[in-house]
Amino acid sequence: MEYTGSKYIGEYVDGRMEGKAKYILPTETIYVGEMKDGMFHGEGTLYLPSGSQYDAIWENGLAIKGTYTFADGLHYDEKNWHYCDGYDRRFHTEILNGLKPAGMAQLTNMDPPRKIPRGYYDCGDGFYNPVTRVVKGYRNRFLRNTGRFLPTLQ
């Protein structure tokens, strides 16, 4: 665990991660559920840093069946997915709270929108600084280095 940056809190059987557990990845993604032979196995939930979660049945580290819930409570449904499709372009918050008055456009599902620091780009999981080529999470925690330069804002 010390080499990967992960943290395991749970039961062991014959020196292997097995039983009920909490597994924290270096990306701040947290798995809470059952483990077997060092892998996700049985019922478990992945909690993502964005606030969304994936509840699933796992078999030898692979999700067999699951449901994804966005941070705002919207449940993803593969067969009956009608959110922001060609017929209805509203955000989930607009569906829940209604449309804003004319002239007050809502540009993202987040209302009010996140403030992007000047000269940075929003990557969906954090802010990219083109000068340092680093992406930091919304809580200012390092996420990753990038290998490409993007044009800066003037």
Side-chain angles (χ1 to χ4, degrees), residues 13-116:
V13 174
D14 295 328
R16 295 177 186 249
M17 298 179 287
E18 197 154 317
K20 299 213 180 287
K22 181 177 187 178
Y23 189 89
I24 306 167
L25 295 128
T27 59
E28 296 182 8
T29 298
I30 300 169
Y31 172 79
V32 177
E34 301 171 43
M35 301 278 287
K36 181 180 177 186
D37 200 21
M39 295 180 279
F40 303 165
H41 192 86
E43 292 185 17
T45 301
L46 278 175
Y47 296 95
L48 298 136
S50 64
S52 56
Q53 69 183 58
Y54 184 63
D55 301 293
I57 304 294
W58 302 84
E59 192 172 291
N60 298 320
L62 299 173
I64 302 302
K65 182 179 180 182
T67 57
Y68 185 85
T69 306
F70 292 89
D72 63 4
L74 176 66
H75 296 280
Y76 176 72
D77 183 349
E78 188 174 347
K79 293 180 181 170
N80 297 309
W81 185 249
H82 299 294
Y83 168 67
C84 207
D85 61 13
Y87 301 105
D88 187 355
R89 303 290 298 184
R90 293 177 296 164
F91 291 107
H92 183 59
T93 52
E94 291 176 314
I95 293 169
L96 294 176
N97 304 323
L99 295 172
K100 293 190 173 296
M104 296 180 65
Q106 185 170 330
L107 302 176
T108 69
N109 191 49
M110 186 177 289
D111 189 35
R114 181 179 289 116
K115 290 195 180 232
I116 302 172

